[in-house]
Amino acid sequence: MKYSVNTLCFSYGETEILKNVSFEINSGEAVCLLGPNGSGKTTLADCVLGFHSPQSGSVTAGGRNVLDFSRKELAKHISYLPQTHNPLFPYTVRETVLMGRSAYSGVFGQPGETDEELAEKAIGAVGIESLADRQYTTLSGGEIRLVLLARALAQDAGLMVLDEPTASLDFRNEYIFLDTLFSLIHEKRISILIATHSIDHAFRFEEAGIPVRVIMMKKGAEPLTGAPSEIITPASIKEVFGVSALITEAADDTGRKFRSVSVTGKAN
Amino acid sequence: MSSAKKSTKTNPALTLLLISAPLFFVFLSLFFGRYRISAPDVVNALFRPSDAIPAVVTVVRQLRLPRAVAAAFVGASLSVSGAAFQSIFRNPLVNSGILGVSNGAGFGACLAIVFLGGGIATYFSSFLFALLAVVLSWFAGRISKVTSTVSLILGGAMVSAFFSALISIMKYLADPYSQLPGITFWLMGSFASINYSHLAAVIPMSLGMLAVFLSRWKINALSMGDKEAATLGVDVKFYKILVISGATVATASAVCISGTIGWVGLVIPHIGRMLTGNNNSKLIPVSISLGASFMIIIDLIARSLTSSELPIGILCALIGSPFFVYLLKKKKGGTVS
């Protein structure tokens, strides 16, 4: 299914946040939202999830405006991995992942055999089988992220929206999370909309062989849209983030090349 | 894969236990009381009333039976409402009275005792004011723009405080000899005056509990917060209104026949969480069964322990709190993180 954002404009009262944002995501593709704090990444994600009514423009899933879906229908097309999740009640990992099947039961329904199987498969796909019977509140931050990823996967939606999914993770957990995500994209052909502070993530998608587009956002201005190599340049980083930066490329022992952004100073 | 199936399946043995436990305690409670009746006489009175002594039949069938049934439904209503409120408000410290039900009902009862001479008016008045309190909390919660859950709890706290003040005024106004004792006893909770006519409250209690019971699995998603629940495909507004209305009707109907019983709606759900985990698919039925059984036992003690009856609210806390602390210690940790 194709997901598109069509010349979307959104303001909170007088404050213009999103201006003429347009992009499409086909299956197996990723879109990376980059931009400083307050540039509207979360607002855009919320528009895609149908939480905001834009002043003009629209977000469509399979050609249909997301605002015309019921919550139940939309959850079958778009899943969500929240930026902040405060674990409270110690559900088991299995129970938590199974909640991803909420949209597939009747009004007063209980999860059925199929739901349990799909939750089990999602747990396997994310590689957390050994945690399945643990209370998810007792897990580490990285493990909780994987549980929420499995829950989103269990929703069996074409598009997964991730808001800063690795914001609080250490190097290893960040790598594990992204690596898991990449293999899911390859295997399940899901589409990804990811908001992130780590510009390097855009390069990682590309290096993993996933078609990726970057939307570099600046509050109230039209975003820069294109391939990572086109958009992520010292000039654009200076303009959008207000820092001078260096983009370097290095190869590991096997000759695989990796690019990264280093901030070198404050731009005036 | 064999262990993989354990957490979400309905377990027939557990279902049977949950249904039979309250029935067993209702039956058991028929054998105890201040008026001593031998076990065969109780059985006779139940199953062959024409052969039994009339006074015994009256005690067993007209006093003990309706009382045990009322206690079961009240206990179940309070604890299932508490469990549901804890989950949908994402707050393990709330109880069934969080939206002002208890204090609203208390004021309604005082009003009836002081101005309408008590009696049957007490039940209707307390029921109506219990509902009114929740409606007021709902609207008070709507006024502010804070996260709706927080503002709803704050609204409930305000309305509770308001009705609590009104209760104090009524106590002040009440005749200290003819009315104040009635108010005081009502506010401490009791099943002493229950007869079959009170069992009309079983209907709204059952309907309210049914609304919560049917929504039980969706309550899991709701406990993740409104935004996450919505993205999981749950119609947050629909289920919140349904569950809050169900829990409110159940609690209001319970409180209007039993008086204020505060402790059950907070702690029984936590005992349930310790015993079977937090999955509401299980926790809701467990809370119903556990609340019913607990309340029958407490009422049994209340009417057997001393020559004059002890108020239920006092006994619940006196017996329940140490038991809860014991469970906490045994389980080595809380029910929520």
Side-chain angles (χ1 to χ4, degrees):
Chain A
M1 186 180 275
K2 190 162 84 178
Y3 298 85
S4 4
V5 171
N6 317 300
T7 53
L8 192 75
C9 299
F10 181 80
S11 322
Y12 285 114
E14 295 291 294
T15 323
E16 204 173 14
I17 309 284
L18 305 176
K19 192 172 174 186
N20 295 332
V21 183
S22 291
F23 58 88
E24 284 181 358
I25 319 178
N26 291 304
S27 70
E29 292 180 3
V31 165
C32 228
L33 303 178
L34 304 176
N37 293 328
S39 60
K41 298 189 297 295
T42 299
T43 306
L44 178 53
D46 284 351
C47 285
V48 171
L49 291 164
F51 286 115
H52 294 316
S53 306
Q55 273 73 23
S56 67
S58 64
V59 177
T60 55
R64 190 172 159 208
N65 195 320
V66 292
L67 296 173
D68 296 337
F69 285 81
S70 71
R71 274 287 151 212
K72 193 178 161 114
E73 287 175 300
L74 193 61
K76 294 176 185 174
H77 295 292
I78 305 180
S79 60
Y80 172 61
L81 212 136
Q83 179 177 7
T84 49
H85 172 87
N86 301 319
L88 181 66
F89 295 104
Y91 297 109
T92 66
V93 168
R94 184 171 283 117
E95 286 160 359
T96 311
V97 174
L98 194 56
M99 289 179 209
R101 301 297 301 166
S102 296
Y104 293 87
S105 68
V107 182
F108 295 129
Q110 292 286 310
E113 292 276 337
T114 326
D115 298 314
E116 305 208 339
E117 274 163 30
L118 286 170
E120 217 61 47
K121 273 189 187 162
I123 289 171
V126 172
I128 50 171
E129 298 95 329
S130 60
L131 304 176
D133 288 313
R134 292 263 303 273
Q135 296 180 340
Y136 91 110
T137 47
T138 62
L139 305 179
S140 73
E143 291 166 335
I144 289 180
R145 288 278 122 188
L146 292 175
V147 172
L148 297 178
L149 181 62
R151 188 183 73 180
L153 190 64
Q155 261 176 266
D156 199 19
L159 174 67
M160 193 184 285
V161 176
L162 304 99
D163 196 355
E164 306 278 3
T166 62
S168 56
L169 302 187
D170 61 32
F171 281 135
R172 186 182 156 81
N173 280 310
E174 180 178 5
Y175 174 79
I176 291 172
F177 183 88
L178 288 178
D179 192 50
T180 311
L181 185 64
F182 295 157
S183 53
L184 293 180
I185 299 168
H186 283 304
E187 282 165 29
K188 320 259 177 196
R189 306 291 300 159
I190 50 174
S191 312
I192 294 291
L193 176 66
I194 180 171
T196 176
H197 275 305
S198 180
I199 299 181
D200 291 353
H201 285 174
F203 295 136
R204 295 296 94 80
F205 276 96
E206 210 169 41
E207 287 149 10
I210 294 160
V212 59
R213 239 154 325 137
V214 167
I215 315 286
M216 199 181 272
M217 304 177 67
K218 195 176 172 184
K219 185 176 167 183
E222 262 185 58
L224 307 167
T225 308
S229 49
E230 284 167 38
I231 303 298
I232 304 171
T233 60
S236 67
I237 292 173
K238 187 171 178 180
E239 146 138 34
V240 172
F241 289 89
V243 292
S244 51
L246 206 61
I247 296 167
T248 51
E249 188 176 85
D252 69 358
D253 299 342
T254 63
R256 282 199 305 158
K257 286 179 179 168
F258 294 89
R259 274 172 295 168
S260 62
V261 176
S262 314
V263 174
T264 56
K266 241 185 342 185
N268 299 315
Chain B
M1 283 302 280
S2 60
S3 71
K5 292 288 171 191
K6 77 179 195 191
S7 72
T8 48
K9 281 276 166 291
T10 31
N11 178 343
L14 179 69
T15 310
L16 188 68
L17 178 71
L18 292 182
I19 294 171
S20 54
L23 294 176
F24 169 76
F25 285 116
V26 166
F27 185 69
L28 184 75
S29 74
L30 302 177
F31 293 86
F32 297 93
R34 254 171 301 142
Y35 186 83
R36 301 216 178 275
I37 307 171
S38 70
D41 283 349
V42 172
V43 175
N44 256 342
L46 259 189
F47 299 108
R48 271 172 297 160
S50 49
D51 298 352
I53 310 155
V56 170
V57 176
T58 307
V59 169
V60 173
R61 303 190 98 184
Q62 303 298 321
L63 296 176
R64 290 181 187 174
L65 185 59
R67 203 174 153 153
V69 170
F73 274 89
V74 168
S77 295
L78 295 178
S79 75
V80 79
S81 303
F85 281 152
Q86 286 169 4
S87 291
I88 64 169
F89 291 137
R90 282 180 57 74
N91 186 337
L93 299 179
V94 306
N95 63 52
S96 43
I98 184 67
L99 295 179
V101 176
S102 306
N103 285 347
F107 173 67
C110 293
L111 208 61
I113 291 169
V114 173
F115 293 113
L116 301 172
I120 195 81
T122 315
Y123 304 107
F124 288 104
S125 176
S126 59
F127 182 73
L128 287 178
F129 276 93
L131 294 188
L132 177 69
V134 174
V135 171
L136 287 176
S137 300
W138 180 267
F139 284 109
R142 289 272 132 157
I143 294 169
S144 89
K145 291 272 181 191
V146 202
T147 331
S148 67
T149 301
V150 175
S151 59
L152 201 54
I153 293 178
L154 283 175
M158 293 307 117
V159 170
S160 287
F162 183 76
F163 278 108
S164 167
L166 290 181
I167 290 174
S168 300
I169 294 177
M170 296 310 293
K171 281 178 168 174
Y172 187 71
L173 291 178
D175 182 286
Y177 299 103
S178 64
Q179 294 167 337
L180 194 55
I183 290 177
T184 308
F185 277 111
W186 197 93
L187 292 175
M188 289 192 291
S190 173
F191 293 106
S193 56
I194 296 287
N195 58 47
Y196 279 108
S197 68
H198 297 111
L199 293 189
V202 163
I203 296 166
M205 280 193 267
S206 304
L207 291 176
M209 284 194 274
L210 185 67
V212 176
F213 180 80
L214 289 174
S215 316
R216 65 194 186 283
W217 185 49
K218 297 289 164 54
I219 294 176
N220 281 359
L222 285 174
S223 78
M224 293 279 160
D226 292 0
K227 188 176 178 182
E228 276 184 50
T231 61
L232 290 170
V234 172
D235 184 340
V236 174
K237 200 173 172 189
F238 171 79
Y239 286 103
K240 263 195 170 174
I241 291 178
L242 183 70
V243 171
I244 291 176
S245 310
T248 298
V249 168
T251 307
S253 324
V255 171
C256 80
I257 62 166
S258 70
T260 318
I261 301 173
W263 189 90
V264 176
L266 172 66
V267 178
I268 295 293
H270 281 288
I271 295 177
R273 289 175 201 282
M274 286 184 205
L275 296 177
T276 56
N278 286 268
N279 181 2
N280 286 282
S281 288
K282 275 187 191 166
L283 178 64
I284 295 297
V286 165
S287 294
I288 291 174
S289 179
L290 214 55
S293 307
F294 178 81
M295 193 60 87
I296 300 166
I297 296 169
I298 293 293
D299 183 51
L300 184 58
I301 297 170
R303 62 190 171 79
S304 324
L305 201 62
T306 56
S307 57
S308 66
E309 278 203 22
L310 286 169
I312 287 285
I314 294 175
L315 268 183
C316 280
L318 267 186
I319 295 168
S321 303
F323 177 61
F324 183 66
V325 172
Y326 161 76
L327 271 181
L328 263 182
K329 188 168 180 291
K330 204 171 163 227
K331 282 274 178 173
K332 295 216 169 40
T335 53
V336 288
S337 58

